[in-house]
Amino acid sequence: MNFPLPPNATIGLVGGGQLGRMSALAAARLGYRCHILTREVDSPAAQVSHCVTISDYSDPASLRAFAAAVDVISFEFENISAEGLELLASLKPVRPAPDVLRVSQDRVLEKTFLNGAGAATAPWAPVGSLADLHDAVRRLGLPAVLKTTRLGYDGKGQAMLRTMDDLPSAFDRLQPKPLILEGFVNFSQEISVVVARGADGGMSAFDTVANRHHDHILDVTLAPAPVPEAVSEAAQSIARTITQALNVVGLLAIEMFVDETGRVLVNEVAPRPHNSGHWTIDACPASQFELHIRAIAGLPLPPAVRHSDAVMKNLVGPEGAALWPAAVATPGLIPHLYGKAEARPGRKMGHVTRLFPKGALPGPFGIAAALGPLGQDQGDSG
Ligand code: AMP
């Protein structure tokens, strides 16, 4: 099928989570159908989609059948194997291309790419052995963060190294995976930018936002980020440069640190919709999910403008799920629930967004009040 995809075309999405769910809702509004490939029965994405294939991501017969049933393929789940994605790409257009995922799946390839594209990162070194780790610590100093190169998310597969005594136990715990040591960034803020890029190279980048984490999981996003204009602009420029250099067709989310001197360092990139872009559903005429679908379907990309400032708060685990009655009862909060039956600890169950007129985003100490009954744990986030 040629691009742009006509109405009623079918978009294949690998992964059945909330990112797929919100992408499928945006696709439906544009007149497309979504077909989800997931291991999970009753997944958040399949609940709102036209069709689902329930299978392992590495089963060639299922991948072939899935590809045969769709017109273009994208993903919200990044841990599909390179071979699986290559197989899909041999059958139907995969957007972003498998090469982009290959880079973002491996922290060493990713950092090499980022530095090669001119983006600053924390200092880093690959670690294959305990001797390598000692060597790397001698060069980078302590504190430092030891991470698995692959399959890490939300702080999983990471160990903080504070003293030399931490090295053997951290190395043993994260073994036998390949590892990377990163110098610890004493950041003043964590920020991110979501960029959409079309096949023609045109880009639309959402405003720079600030992210606050709780137990390594995103808790709150502030849009726009309360940072100096120069920092926000630097983040935008880095994000566009990387998206272009990776030749992304679709979305790229770029997570960055602002260090204590105001320098912007890239932490990692994700070639998919991103949790720090959920505010765009309510605060922008076209959300990150709409831009994702537009980019992969070959539709024109509108500018990624916002009509409002926004605070987004995640509802995580059983505690987050318990906030649902308050989320739907509090005027001004826009609730989103992901349809997950079981609220396991650390699981993202939903989010709420609160909008403000542009320029009226409360300062750090107003966030708790802005979230009403959901802001009670925001006391230390100023
Ligand atoms: P990641 O899985 O790389 O996104 O890391 C999860 C979180 O750990 C980040 O959002 C930071 O809060 C923290 N973190 C990761 N790497 C570093 C680093 N090099 N220096 C300081 N904090 C870090």
Side-chain angles (χ1 to χ4, degrees):
M1 183 166 308
N2 291 328
F3 293 103
L5 296 184
N8 283 315
T10 302
I11 294 172
L13 290 176
V14 177
Q18 65 271 13
L19 303 176
R21 179 185 182 93
M22 291 182 271
S23 297
L25 292 170
R29 215 159 53 105
L30 292 167
Y32 296 127
R33 298 158 190 240
C34 281
H35 183 146
I36 307 298
L37 175 69
T38 175
R39 280 193 291 239
E40 198 188 337
V41 176
D42 192 32
S43 66
Q47 288 168 12
V48 301
S49 291
H50 173 65
C51 197
V52 58
T53 296
I54 296 174
S55 160
D56 200 81
Y57 296 112
S58 57
D59 174 44
S62 302
L63 294 178
R64 283 181 200 284
F66 170 69
V70 304
D71 298 305
V72 66
I73 296 169
S74 192
F75 44 84
E76 61 112 52
F77 172 81
E78 283 173 86
N79 292 332
I80 179 171
S81 69
E83 302 77 56
L85 220 59
E86 290 297 344
L87 172 58
L88 291 175
S90 70
L91 300 166
K92 285 287 158 66
V94 172
R95 294 179 158 184
D99 266 3
V100 179
L101 197 67
R102 203 171 51 82
V103 170
S104 72
Q105 274 176 339
D106 182 305
R107 292 186 195 273
V108 167
L109 286 181
E110 184 180 46
K111 292 267 194 311
T112 306
F113 183 87
L114 291 168
N115 295 157
T121 60
W124 61 276
V127 170
S129 65
L130 193 55
D132 281 355
L133 179 57
H134 276 274
D135 224 39
V137 166
R138 254 191 303 280
R139 281 193 289 132
L140 305 188
L142 291 177
V145 188
L146 188 62
K147 301 181 179 178
T148 56
T149 57
R150 301 175 69 85
L151 303 181
Y153 68 97
D154 287 348
K156 293 188 173 66
Q158 294 195 15
M160 178 78 179
L161 307 180
R162 289 188 177 82
T163 72
M164 295 305 280
D165 293 342
D166 293 336
L167 272 54
S169 56
F171 184 78
D172 284 345
R173 180 161 74 75
L174 298 177
Q175 269 290 329
K177 305 168 184 92
L179 305 175
I180 180 172
L181 186 73
E182 293 179 17
F184 181 78
V185 180
N186 196 10
F187 57 81
S188 60
Q189 299 241 32
E190 292 190 76
I191 59 175
S192 59
V193 174
V194 174
V195 184
R197 183 169 178 274
D200 63 357
M203 287 188 274
S204 292
F206 289 100
D207 287 312
T208 308
V209 299
N211 302 311
R212 294 178 180 168
H213 296 81
H214 181 70
D215 287 343
H216 295 285
I217 300 173
L218 182 65
D219 178 29
V220 165
T221 294
L222 308 180
V227 293
E229 188 62 25
V231 169
S232 179
E233 283 304 316
Q236 291 283 315
S237 158
I238 291 166
R240 285 173 181 269
T241 301
I242 297 168
T243 306
Q244 171 93 38
L246 272 173
N247 199 17
V248 171
V249 178
L251 288 190
L252 190 73
I254 300 93
E255 296 180 31
M256 292 162 273
F257 300 122
V258 184
D259 76 6
E260 66 268 72
T261 68
R263 213 158 66 106
V264 177
L265 306 174
V266 178
N267 176 26
E268 59 182 359
V269 302
R272 53 166 172 76
H274 194 259
N275 197 167
S276 72
H278 290 0
W279 62 277
T280 61
I281 299 175
D282 301 306
C284 302
S287 72
Q288 65 164 346
F289 299 100
E290 176 164 344
L291 264 52
H292 175 214
I293 296 299
R294 281 176 173 267
I296 64 177
L299 297 181
L301 285 183
V305 290
R306 68 177 205 287
H307 51 66
S308 304
D309 289 358
V311 177
M312 187 284 312
K313 180 176 171 62
N314 270 340
L315 303 176
V316 178
E319 315 81 51
L323 293 171
W324 185 246
V328 291
T330 306
L333 294 185
I334 306 171
H336 299 255
L337 202 61
Y338 305 150
K340 299 181 183 180
E342 201 192 333
R344 293 193 290 272
R347 200 171 193 212
K348 291 171 183 165
M349 302 302 293
H351 71 268
V352 297
T353 310
R354 169 107 197 246
L355 300 182
F356 301 87
K358 273 177 104 168
L361 187 72
F365 298 105
I367 299 301
L371 291 168
L374 277 67
Q376 278 160 13
D377 60 349
Q378 301 298 312
D380 62 351
S381 62

